[in-house]
Amino acid sequence: MERIKDTAIGAPVKGRFIESLFIGPTDWEQMTDFMNLRIQKGEETALTEFDSAGKSLSVYGVSVNNEFDVPHWDMTIMDNWELMIGN
């Protein structure tokens, strides 16, 4: 995440600007379990437990969609970030 932070933050991806980065499970089906563990035990513990269980982690680019009354956070997996932002 640190390696791509300077390049990815502010870059347009899929019509939205990346505002922040987030590490989470590559398998979207595991995201709820990860987020619950993150809330209960903290981000570092959640990352460590998922990694030690052999679950793949990825970096997500987060952008906020304000087209509606309630902001919506769009998360884009950044595994191919160099291709996505043209570097």
Side-chain angles (χ1 to χ4, degrees):
M1 187 164 84
E2 288 299 317
R3 184 171 56 92
I4 71 171
K5 179 175 66 174
D6 292 337
T7 305
I9 302 295
V13 175
K14 297 183 179 178
R16 306 243 186 271
F17 290 98
I18 300 297
E19 297 181 20
S20 63
L21 298 173
F22 170 80
I23 297 176
T26 303
D27 181 351
W28 191 256
E29 298 293 322
Q30 297 172 355
M31 189 62 79
T32 302
D33 293 337
F34 178 80
M35 294 302 286
N36 285 333
L37 185 60
R38 187 175 176 222
I39 290 167
Q40 294 169 359
K41 296 185 177 181
E43 183 173 11
E44 289 298 320
T45 301
L47 290 170
T48 301
E49 287 189 23
F50 263 68
D51 185 50
S52 65
K55 296 179 181 176
S56 179
L57 297 168
S58 291
V59 175
Y60 290 85
V62 181
S63 58
V64 180
N65 179 345
N66 289 314
E67 294 175 14
F68 307 101
D69 291 337
V70 177
H72 174 78
W73 284 263
D74 293 320
M75 295 177 65
T76 304
I77 198 162
M78 302 293 288
D79 286 348
N80 296 320
W81 68 274
E82 292 157 321
L83 297 173
M84 296 173 80
I85 58 179
N87 284 335

